[in-house]
Amino acid sequence: GGSHKSPIERFWNGNNMIYILQKAVSVYLSSILAGIFFFFFPVRTSRQLISLYTMVQNPNMTHLNISDLVVLPPLWIRCDGSDPEHTCWLGAEPLKAGNRITGINFYMVTCDGPTADKTYFANLEELKMAHKMKHHSSIVVTKGFAQYELIRAAVIEDTIVESESNIYVDITWNTVDKILETPPLVSAATLNITLESGDPRSPVYQLYRELQFLLALAEGLKTGVTEWPEPLESESAVELVQEFLTGNCCLHPFLLKTNKLFQKIKCDTAAVDSSIKSIFSERGDLDFAEQLWCKIRSVSSYQELIECFTLIIKSLERGEIQPWIHQGSSSLLSKLIQQSYHGKIEVVSLSGITPIQMLLEIGLDKMKKDYVSFFIGQELATLTYLDYFVSTSVDLQEQVHRVQKLHHMLEIMVSCTVLLQFKHENLFPLTQICMKYYKENPLNEKHVFQLPIRPALVKKFYQNDHPEIWKVDISSGHGQKEVKTTWQVSTNPPVKHMTSNNTGVFSDSTVNGSNEERMYFITMAKCSQVHFT
């Protein structure tokens, strides 16, 4: 349940509880050191277990003297693949009529490979004929499934960037004409997005670093220990603040050329054009506190932070500055600025956690407005819909947590814009899906966000690529009498003990040529039925 996917999800269509059996073996230190934890049943033993499972549910086994037959959940057994067919799973699923069991569906999953040699691949017509003969069917229907990765771990300066990020598309269609065919445009497609924030190539990487400093301040409030970042500027934070206070800090921002909110760093994709860059345009209404955050966030120690706030408070007390701030800000510094308009401000003791909390508050205010400006500016959400994420009615730690959610959603929108060239018509529903999830769940960068799309939207990214998974289902019959044969190729093995050093890579003989081929595991899932009545 939850994020734990069923290991037989590609072969079993159910969604209820199942039993999964694997061999129980004592784990010794040598096994732990070797990383060996895969214990599977021999096929012969697995068949015996399936037979016992079937017998205890068969109403015709009267000699067993079972007074009350119970319909058990489906049973799947991990097999060791030592037989000639390399069986990796055996399964059994009861057929029911109400609360009464009428028969059993048996499944056998075999796997071989990996190989790039297509002569090992099946012929679709032969698969269909074998299914017809086994199940005495005159008519069969076929359904295709293909999964393509749209982004992969990229190489920067010959170094693989380890990342959990992935965007892939699942495509299903009816009536398959040949093995490994490209899905037709009339197919149904779902985009699956898992994104880890903080990619240095992202156009919003500078905003991510800003968020990391905010998180460090929030952690410092909880633990009493703050990890100060390395200085971003050659000048100290105190010097930057002093120059800021003696400059034009009190003028309305629209009268100034403010610093860029998003640094337009070079992205290693041709998809970045002028229309995309416009998304990251600067926010031109930074008030005094927000401009101060941009200066003071280069602070490198607690003592330096106290010196910075001491300079600011003294300037306010002396009336040397009368800065402009946004309405609605609830930070302590904003309150002091509002009080300075009337010539008197309260005494603030810059000790303990107070300076860190003051800095955290102005950072929160600034970053909330950054994200709101993006989502409203791109017409992806209304202020009412964003209210949950920018609310000040919760404590500071929760406010920071919600800002993290906003940033993750921003990274997703930016990635889809830069990498997939998504327009508003696609970004808008994706934003709604993300926001709905994050209003109900904590931050989870491993969550898979799913968006139904038209295949034509992403076809150019996969039409000349090799699928990660390609399978065909051949079925006949209806309802409980439906039987299915599945043939599948995949770059990853369907079970852990089928792993190989060549998994998911190109074959050596063709990797530098124009006809590169993927190494595939070949998997077959067959079904048969036994009826008790």
mmCIF file with all atom_site columns, all heavy atoms in Angstrom, residues 372-392:
data_model
loop_
_atom_site.group_PDB
_atom_site.id
_atom_site.type_symbol
_atom_site.label_atom_id
_atom_site.label_alt_id
_atom_site.label_comp_id
_atom_site.label_asym_id
_atom_site.label_entity_id
_atom_site.label_seq_id
_atom_site.pdbx_PDB_ins_code
_atom_site.Cartn_x
_atom_site.Cartn_y
_atom_site.Cartn_z
_atom_site.occupancy
_atom_site.B_iso_or_equiv
_atom_site.pdbx_formal_charge
_atom_site.auth_seq_id
_atom_site.auth_comp_id
_atom_site.auth_asym_id
_atom_site.auth_atom_id
_atom_site.pdbx_PDB_model_num
ATOM 1   N N   . VAL A 1 372 ? 3.831   33.436 -5.281  1.00 0.00 ? 372 VAL A N   1
ATOM 2   C CA  . VAL A 1 372 ? 2.509   33.952 -5.646  1.00 0.00 ? 372 VAL A CA  1
ATOM 3   C C   . VAL A 1 372 ? 2.590   34.709 -6.963  1.00 0.00 ? 372 VAL A C   1
ATOM 4   O O   . VAL A 1 372 ? 1.738   34.571 -7.841  1.00 0.00 ? 372 VAL A O   1
ATOM 5   C CB  . VAL A 1 372 ? 1.952   34.859 -4.523  1.00 0.00 ? 372 VAL A CB  1
ATOM 6   C CG1 . VAL A 1 372 ? 0.734   35.637 -5.022  1.00 0.00 ? 372 VAL A CG1 1
ATOM 7   C CG2 . VAL A 1 372 ? 1.580   34.026 -3.300  1.00 0.00 ? 372 VAL A CG2 1
ATOM 8   N N   . SER A 1 373 ? 3.659   35.524 -7.119  1.00 0.00 ? 373 SER A N   1
ATOM 9   C CA  . SER A 1 373 ? 3.840   36.290 -8.346  1.00 0.00 ? 373 SER A CA  1
ATOM 10  C C   . SER A 1 373 ? 3.939   35.363 -9.552  1.00 0.00 ? 373 SER A C   1
ATOM 11  O O   . SER A 1 373 ? 3.363   35.643 -10.614 1.00 0.00 ? 373 SER A O   1
ATOM 12  C CB  . SER A 1 373 ? 5.114   37.141 -8.234  1.00 0.00 ? 373 SER A CB  1
ATOM 13  O OG  . SER A 1 373 ? 5.375   37.818 -9.447  1.00 0.00 ? 373 SER A OG  1
ATOM 14  N N   . PHE A 1 374 ? 4.642   34.229 -9.384  1.00 0.00 ? 374 PHE A N   1
ATOM 15  C CA  . PHE A 1 374 ? 4.777   33.294 -10.504 1.00 0.00 ? 374 PHE A CA  1
ATOM 16  C C   . PHE A 1 374 ? 3.436   32.657 -10.856 1.00 0.00 ? 374 PHE A C   1
ATOM 17  O O   . PHE A 1 374 ? 3.008   32.694 -12.015 1.00 0.00 ? 374 PHE A O   1
ATOM 18  C CB  . PHE A 1 374 ? 5.790   32.194 -10.157 1.00 0.00 ? 374 PHE A CB  1
ATOM 19  C CG  . PHE A 1 374 ? 5.794   31.070 -11.153 1.00 0.00 ? 374 PHE A CG  1
ATOM 20  C CD1 . PHE A 1 374 ? 6.502   31.187 -12.337 1.00 0.00 ? 374 PHE A CD1 1
ATOM 21  C CD2 . PHE A 1 374 ? 5.069   29.899 -10.922 1.00 0.00 ? 374 PHE A CD2 1
ATOM 22  C CE1 . PHE A 1 374 ? 6.504   30.156 -13.279 1.00 0.00 ? 374 PHE A CE1 1
ATOM 23  C CE2 . PHE A 1 374 ? 5.069   28.868 -11.851 1.00 0.00 ? 374 PHE A CE2 1
ATOM 24  C CZ  . PHE A 1 374 ? 5.790   28.998 -13.023 1.00 0.00 ? 374 PHE A CZ  1
ATOM 25  N N   . PHE A 1 375 ? 2.769   32.063 -9.877  1.00 0.00 ? 375 PHE A N   1
ATOM 26  C CA  . PHE A 1 375 ? 1.546   31.305 -10.172 1.00 0.00 ? 375 PHE A CA  1
ATOM 27  C C   . PHE A 1 375 ? 0.403   32.210 -10.643 1.00 0.00 ? 375 PHE A C   1
ATOM 28  O O   . PHE A 1 375 ? -0.370  31.822 -11.521 1.00 0.00 ? 375 PHE A O   1
ATOM 29  C CB  . PHE A 1 375 ? 1.120   30.493 -8.945  1.00 0.00 ? 375 PHE A CB  1
ATOM 30  C CG  . PHE A 1 375 ? 1.975   29.278 -8.717  1.00 0.00 ? 375 PHE A CG  1
ATOM 31  C CD1 . PHE A 1 375 ? 2.911   29.244 -7.696  1.00 0.00 ? 375 PHE A CD1 1
ATOM 32  C CD2 . PHE A 1 375 ? 1.857   28.172 -9.537  1.00 0.00 ? 375 PHE A CD2 1
ATOM 33  C CE1 . PHE A 1 375 ? 3.714   28.131 -7.488  1.00 0.00 ? 375 PHE A CE1 1
ATOM 34  C CE2 . PHE A 1 375 ? 2.650   27.046 -9.349  1.00 0.00 ? 375 PHE A CE2 1
ATOM 35  C CZ  . PHE A 1 375 ? 3.585   27.028 -8.325  1.00 0.00 ? 375 PHE A CZ  1
ATOM 36  N N   . ILE A 1 376 ? 0.308   33.405 -10.082 1.00 0.00 ? 376 ILE A N   1
ATOM 37  C CA  . ILE A 1 376 ? -0.733  34.334 -10.538 1.00 0.00 ? 376 ILE A CA  1
ATOM 38  C C   . ILE A 1 376 ? -0.335  34.961 -11.869 1.00 0.00 ? 376 ILE A C   1
ATOM 39  O O   . ILE A 1 376 ? -1.154  35.095 -12.784 1.00 0.00 ? 376 ILE A O   1
ATOM 40  C CB  . ILE A 1 376 ? -1.008  35.408 -9.478  1.00 0.00 ? 376 ILE A CB  1
ATOM 41  C CG1 . ILE A 1 376 ? -1.678  34.765 -8.256  1.00 0.00 ? 376 ILE A CG1 1
ATOM 42  C CG2 . ILE A 1 376 ? -1.878  36.520 -10.041 1.00 0.00 ? 376 ILE A CG2 1
ATOM 43  C CD1 . ILE A 1 376 ? -2.044  35.744 -7.159  1.00 0.00 ? 376 ILE A CD1 1
ATOM 44  N N   . GLY A 1 377 ? 0.951   35.321 -11.987 1.00 0.00 ? 377 GLY A N   1
ATOM 45  C CA  . GLY A 1 377 ? 1.427   35.937 -13.227 1.00 0.00 ? 377 GLY A CA  1
ATOM 46  C C   . GLY A 1 377 ? 1.267   35.026 -14.429 1.00 0.00 ? 377 GLY A C   1
ATOM 47  O O   . GLY A 1 377 ? 0.987   35.494 -15.537 1.00 0.00 ? 377 GLY A O   1
ATOM 48  N N   . GLN A 1 378 ? 1.433   33.714 -14.226 1.00 0.00 ? 378 GLN A N   1
ATOM 49  C CA  . GLN A 1 378 ? 1.263   32.765 -15.316 1.00 0.00 ? 378 GLN A CA  1
ATOM 50  C C   . GLN A 1 378 ? -0.179  32.254 -15.428 1.00 0.00 ? 378 GLN A C   1
ATOM 51  O O   . GLN A 1 378 ? -0.462  31.351 -16.216 1.00 0.00 ? 378 GLN A O   1
ATOM 52  C CB  . GLN A 1 378 ? 2.205   31.572 -15.108 1.00 0.00 ? 378 GLN A CB  1
ATOM 53  C CG  . GLN A 1 378 ? 3.671   31.938 -15.131 1.00 0.00 ? 378 GLN A CG  1
ATOM 54  C CD  . GLN A 1 378 ? 4.077   32.596 -16.441 1.00 0.00 ? 378 GLN A CD  1
ATOM 55  O OE1 . GLN A 1 378 ? 3.740   32.101 -17.514 1.00 0.00 ? 378 GLN A OE1 1
ATOM 56  N NE2 . GLN A 1 378 ? 4.792   33.711 -16.349 1.00 0.00 ? 378 GLN A NE2 1
ATOM 57  N N   . GLU A 1 379 ? -1.075  32.823 -14.611 1.00 0.00 ? 379 GLU A N   1
ATOM 58  C CA  . GLU A 1 379 ? -2.497  32.461 -14.596 1.00 0.00 ? 379 GLU A CA  1
ATOM 59  C C   . GLU A 1 379 ? -2.709  30.979 -14.336 1.00 0.00 ? 379 GLU A C   1
ATOM 60  O O   . GLU A 1 379 ? -3.552  30.324 -14.945 1.00 0.00 ? 379 GLU A O   1
ATOM 61  C CB  . GLU A 1 379 ? -3.163  32.876 -15.921 1.00 0.00 ? 379 GLU A CB  1
ATOM 62  C CG  . GLU A 1 379 ? -3.113  34.378 -16.170 1.00 0.00 ? 379 GLU A CG  1
ATOM 63  C CD  . GLU A 1 379 ? -3.813  34.769 -17.457 1.00 0.00 ? 379 GLU A CD  1
ATOM 64  O OE1 . GLU A 1 379 ? -4.114  33.879 -18.274 1.00 0.00 ? 379 GLU A OE1 1
ATOM 65  O OE2 . GLU A 1 379 ? -4.075  35.964 -17.654 1.00 0.00 ? 379 GLU A OE2 1
ATOM 66  N N   . LEU A 1 380 ? -1.913  30.454 -13.396 1.00 0.00 ? 380 LEU A N   1
ATOM 67  C CA  . LEU A 1 380 ? -2.019  29.051 -13.023 1.00 0.00 ? 380 LEU A CA  1
ATOM 68  C C   . LEU A 1 380 ? -2.830  28.847 -11.753 1.00 0.00 ? 380 LEU A C   1
ATOM 69  O O   . LEU A 1 380 ? -3.230  27.725 -11.439 1.00 0.00 ? 380 LEU A O   1
ATOM 70  C CB  . LEU A 1 380 ? -0.617  28.450 -12.835 1.00 0.00 ? 380 LEU A CB  1
ATOM 71  C CG  . LEU A 1 380 ? 0.274   28.459 -14.082 1.00 0.00 ? 380 LEU A CG  1
ATOM 72  C CD1 . LEU A 1 380 ? 1.657   27.929 -13.745 1.00 0.00 ? 380 LEU A CD1 1
ATOM 73  C CD2 . LEU A 1 380 ? -0.362  27.630 -15.199 1.00 0.00 ? 380 LEU A CD2 1
ATOM 74  N N   . ALA A 1 381 ? -3.055  29.912 -11.000 1.00 0.00 ? 381 ALA A N   1
ATOM 75  C CA  . ALA A 1 381 ? -3.831  29.816 -9.758  1.00 0.00 ? 381 ALA A CA  1
ATOM 76  C C   . ALA A 1 381 ? -4.299  31.206 -9.356  1.00 0.00 ? 381 ALA A C   1
ATOM 77  O O   . ALA A 1 381 ? -3.724  32.217 -9.772  1.00 0.00 ? 381 ALA A O   1
ATOM 78  C CB  . ALA A 1 381 ? -2.989  29.196 -8.637  1.00 0.00 ? 381 ALA A CB  1
ATOM 79  N N   . THR A 1 382 ? -5.338  31.230 -8.536  1.00 0.00 ? 382 THR A N   1
ATOM 80  C CA  . THR A 1 382 ? -5.829  32.499 -7.988  1.00 0.00 ? 382 THR A CA  1
ATOM 81  C C   . THR A 1 382 ? -5.266  32.685 -6.583  1.00 0.00 ? 382 THR A C   1
ATOM 82  O O   . THR A 1 382 ? -4.797  31.738 -5.951  1.00 0.00 ? 382 THR A O   1
ATOM 83  C CB  . THR A 1 382 ? -7.359  32.510 -7.915  1.00 0.00 ? 382 THR A CB  1
ATOM 84  O OG1 . THR A 1 382 ? -7.789  31.471 -7.005  1.00 0.00 ? 382 THR A OG1 1
ATOM 85  C CG2 . THR A 1 382 ? -7.979  32.264 -9.277  1.00 0.00 ? 382 THR A CG2 1
ATOM 86  N N   . LEU A 1 383 ? -5.318  33.903 -6.083  1.00 0.00 ? 383 LEU A N   1
ATOM 87  C CA  . LEU A 1 383 ? -4.827  34.177 -4.736  1.00 0.00 ? 383 LEU A CA  1
ATOM 88  C C   . LEU A 1 383 ? -5.621  33.396 -3.702  1.00 0.00 ? 383 LEU A C   1
ATOM 89  O O   . LEU A 1 383 ? -5.062  32.921 -2.707  1.00 0.00 ? 383 LEU A O   1
ATOM 90  C CB  . LEU A 1 383 ? -4.917  35.682 -4.445  1.00 0.00 ? 383 LEU A CB  1
ATOM 91  C CG  . LEU A 1 383 ? -4.263  36.149 -3.139  1.00 0.00 ? 383 LEU A CG  1
ATOM 92  C CD1 . LEU A 1 383 ? -2.794  35.756 -3.096  1.00 0.00 ? 383 LEU A CD1 1
ATOM 93  C CD2 . LEU A 1 383 ? -4.420  37.656 -2.976  1.00 0.00 ? 383 LEU A CD2 1
ATOM 94  N N   . THR A 1 384 ? -6.914  33.228 -3.949  1.00 0.00 ? 384 THR A N   1
ATOM 95  C CA  . THR A 1 384 ? -7.742  32.446 -3.020  1.00 0.00 ? 384 THR A CA  1
ATOM 96  C C   . THR A 1 384 ? -7.263  31.002 -2.955  1.00 0.00 ? 384 THR A C   1
ATOM 97  O O   . THR A 1 384 ? -7.170  30.408 -1.875  1.00 0.00 ? 384 THR A O   1
ATOM 98  C CB  . THR A 1 384 ? -9.215  32.473 -3.478  1.00 0.00 ? 384 THR A CB  1
ATOM 99  O OG1 . THR A 1 384 ? -9.669  33.824 -3.504  1.00 0.00 ? 384 THR A OG1 1
ATOM 100 C CG2 . THR A 1 384 ? -10.088 31.662 -2.537  1.00 0.00 ? 384 THR A CG2 1
ATOM 101 N N   . TYR A 1 385 ? -6.921  30.439 -4.108  1.00 0.00 ? 385 TYR A N   1
ATOM 102 C CA  . TYR A 1 385 ? -6.472  29.048 -4.132  1.00 0.00 ? 385 TYR A CA  1
ATOM 103 C C   . TYR A 1 385 ? -5.096  28.892 -3.499  1.00 0.00 ? 385 TYR A C   1
ATOM 104 O O   . TYR A 1 385 ? -4.739  27.824 -3.000  1.00 0.00 ? 385 TYR A O   1
ATOM 105 C CB  . TYR A 1 385 ? -6.442  28.532 -5.576  1.00 0.00 ? 385 TYR A CB  1
ATOM 106 C CG  . TYR A 1 385 ? -6.666  27.040 -5.680  1.00 0.00 ? 385 TYR A CG  1
ATOM 107 C CD1 . TYR A 1 385 ? -7.918  26.498 -5.411  1.00 0.00 ? 385 TYR A CD1 1
ATOM 108 C CD2 . TYR A 1 385 ? -5.627  26.181 -6.030  1.00 0.00 ? 385 TYR A CD2 1
ATOM 109 C CE1 . TYR A 1 385 ? -8.137  25.126 -5.491  1.00 0.00 ? 385 TYR A CE1 1
ATOM 110 C CE2 . TYR A 1 385 ? -5.838  24.812 -6.120  1.00 0.00 ? 385 TYR A CE2 1
ATOM 111 C CZ  . TYR A 1 385 ? -7.092  24.293 -5.844  1.00 0.00 ? 385 TYR A CZ  1
ATOM 112 O OH  . TYR A 1 385 ? -7.301  22.936 -5.921  1.00 0.00 ? 385 TYR A OH  1
ATOM 113 N N   . LEU A 1 386 ? -4.305  29.978 -3.515  1.00 0.00 ? 386 LEU A N   1
ATOM 114 C CA  . LEU A 1 386 ? -2.960  29.948 -2.935  1.00 0.00 ? 386 LEU A CA  1
ATOM 115 C C   . LEU A 1 386 ? -2.966  30.250 -1.442  1.00 0.00 ? 386 LEU A C   1
ATOM 116 O O   . LEU A 1 386 ? -1.924  30.151 -0.785  1.00 0.00 ? 386 LEU A O   1
ATOM 117 C CB  . LEU A 1 386 ? -2.057  30.960 -3.650  1.00 0.00 ? 386 LEU A CB  1
ATOM 118 C CG  . LEU A 1 386 ? -1.625  30.596 -5.071  1.00 0.00 ? 386 LEU A CG  1
ATOM 119 C CD1 . LEU A 1 386 ? -1.070  31.829 -5.779  1.00 0.00 ? 386 LEU A CD1 1
ATOM 120 C CD2 . LEU A 1 386 ? -0.588  29.491 -5.053  1.00 0.00 ? 386 LEU A CD2 1
ATOM 121 N N   . ASP A 1 387 ? -4.118  30.634 -0.914  1.00 0.00 ? 387 ASP A N   1
ATOM 122 C CA  . ASP A 1 387 ? -4.188  31.106 0.476   1.00 0.00 ? 387 ASP A CA  1
ATOM 123 C C   . ASP A 1 387 ? -3.637  30.082 1.464   1.00 0.00 ? 387 ASP A C   1
ATOM 124 O O   . ASP A 1 387 ? -2.954  30.445 2.422   1.00 0.00 ? 387 ASP A O   1
ATOM 125 C CB  . ASP A 1 387 ? -5.642  31.452 0.835   1.00 0.00 ? 387 ASP A CB  1
ATOM 126 C CG  . ASP A 1 387 ? -5.751  32.016 2.248   1.00 0.00 ? 387 ASP A CG  1
ATOM 127 O OD1 . ASP A 1 387 ? -5.184  33.099 2.489   1.00 0.00 ? 387 ASP A OD1 1
ATOM 128 O OD2 . ASP A 1 387 ? -6.386  31.356 3.100   1.00 0.00 ? 387 ASP A OD2 1
ATOM 129 N N   . TYR A 1 388 ? -3.920  28.805 1.234   1.00 0.00 ? 388 TYR A N   1
ATOM 130 C CA  . TYR A 1 388 ? -3.419  27.762 2.140   1.00 0.00 ? 388 TYR A CA  1
ATOM 131 C C   . TYR A 1 388 ? -1.900  27.810 2.238   1.00 0.00 ? 388 TYR A C   1
ATOM 132 O O   . TYR A 1 388 ? -1.320  27.646 3.307   1.00 0.00 ? 388 TYR A O   1
ATOM 133 C CB  . TYR A 1 388 ? -3.863  26.387 1.638   1.00 0.00 ? 388 TYR A CB  1
ATOM 134 C CG  . TYR A 1 388 ? -3.093  25.233 2.242   1.00 0.00 ? 388 TYR A CG  1
ATOM 135 C CD1 . TYR A 1 388 ? -3.446  24.690 3.475   1.00 0.00 ? 388 TYR A CD1 1
ATOM 136 C CD2 . TYR A 1 388 ? -1.984  24.689 1.577   1.00 0.00 ? 388 TYR A CD2 1
ATOM 137 C CE1 . TYR A 1 388 ? -2.727  23.638 4.029   1.00 0.00 ? 388 TYR A CE1 1
ATOM 138 C CE2 . TYR A 1 388 ? -1.262  23.636 2.121   1.00 0.00 ? 388 TYR A CE2 1
ATOM 139 C CZ  . TYR A 1 388 ? -1.639  23.115 3.345   1.00 0.00 ? 388 TYR A CZ  1
ATOM 140 O OH  . TYR A 1 388 ? -0.910  22.088 3.891   1.00 0.00 ? 388 TYR A OH  1
ATOM 141 N N   . PHE A 1 389 ? -1.230  28.047 1.108   1.00 0.00 ? 389 PHE A N   1
ATOM 142 C CA  . PHE A 1 389 ? 0.226   27.972 1.066   1.00 0.00 ? 389 PHE A CA  1
ATOM 143 C C   . PHE A 1 389 ? 0.910   29.212 1.640   1.00 0.00 ? 389 PHE A C   1
ATOM 144 O O   . PHE A 1 389 ? 2.076   29.147 2.016   1.00 0.00 ? 389 PHE A O   1
ATOM 145 C CB  . PHE A 1 389 ? 0.694   27.754 -0.374  1.00 0.00 ? 389 PHE A CB  1
ATOM 146 C CG  . PHE A 1 389 ? 0.204   26.470 -0.962  1.00 0.00 ? 389 PHE A CG  1
ATOM 147 C CD1 . PHE A 1 389 ? -0.915  26.441 -1.788  1.00 0.00 ? 389 PHE A CD1 1
ATOM 148 C CD2 . PHE A 1 389 ? 0.834   25.264 -0.686  1.00 0.00 ? 389 PHE A CD2 1
ATOM 149 C CE1 . PHE A 1 389 ? -1.382  25.251 -2.335  1.00 0.00 ? 389 PHE A CE1 1
ATOM 150 C CE2 . PHE A 1 389 ? 0.376   24.068 -1.221  1.00 0.00 ? 389 PHE A CE2 1
ATOM 151 C CZ  . PHE A 1 389 ? -0.736  24.066 -2.045  1.00 0.00 ? 389 PHE A CZ  1
ATOM 152 N N   . VAL A 1 390 ? 0.205   30.333 1.708   1.00 0.00 ? 390 VAL A N   1
ATOM 153 C CA  . VAL A 1 390 ? 0.828   31.576 2.199   1.00 0.00 ? 390 VAL A CA  1
ATOM 154 C C   . VAL A 1 390 ? 0.204   32.058 3.502   1.00 0.00 ? 390 VAL A C   1
ATOM 155 O O   . VAL A 1 390 ? 0.512   33.151 3.976   1.00 0.00 ? 390 VAL A O   1
ATOM 156 C CB  . VAL A 1 390 ? 0.744   32.682 1.125   1.00 0.00 ? 390 VAL A CB  1
ATOM 157 C CG1 . VAL A 1 390 ? 1.513   32.269 -0.118  1.00 0.00 ? 390 VAL A CG1 1
ATOM 158 C CG2 . VAL A 1 390 ? -0.704  33.017 0.778   1.00 0.00 ? 390 VAL A CG2 1
ATOM 159 N N   . SER A 1 391 ? -0.638  31.238 4.111   1.00 0.00 ? 391 SER A N   1
ATOM 160 C CA  . SER A 1 391 ? -1.327  31.636 5.342   1.00 0.00 ? 391 SER A CA  1
ATOM 161 C C   . SER A 1 391 ? -0.341  31.910 6.469   1.00 0.00 ? 391 SER A C   1
ATOM 162 O O   . SER A 1 391 ? 0.668   31.213 6.636   1.00 0.00 ? 391 SER A O   1
ATOM 163 C CB  . SER A 1 391 ? -2.295  30.527 5.767   1.00 0.00 ? 391 SER A CB  1
ATOM 164 O OG  . SER A 1 391 ? -2.836  30.799 7.035   1.00 0.00 ? 391 SER A OG  1
ATOM 165 N N   . THR A 1 392 ? -0.630  32.952 7.261   1.00 0.00 ? 392 THR A N   1
ATOM 166 C CA  . THR A 1 392 ? 0.188   33.281 8.439   1.00 0.00 ? 392 THR A CA  1
ATOM 167 C C   . THR A 1 392 ? -0.503  32.839 9.725   1.00 0.00 ? 392 THR A C   1
ATOM 168 O O   . THR A 1 392 ? -0.027  33.147 10.818  1.00 0.00 ? 392 THR A O   1
ATOM 169 C CB  . THR A 1 392 ? 0.451   34.801 8.507   1.00 0.00 ? 392 THR A CB  1
ATOM 170 O OG1 . THR A 1 392 ? -0.806  35.489 8.512   1.00 0.00 ? 392 THR A OG1 1
ATOM 171 C CG2 . THR A 1 392 ? 1.273   35.260 7.313   1.00 0.00 ? 392 THR A CG2 1
#
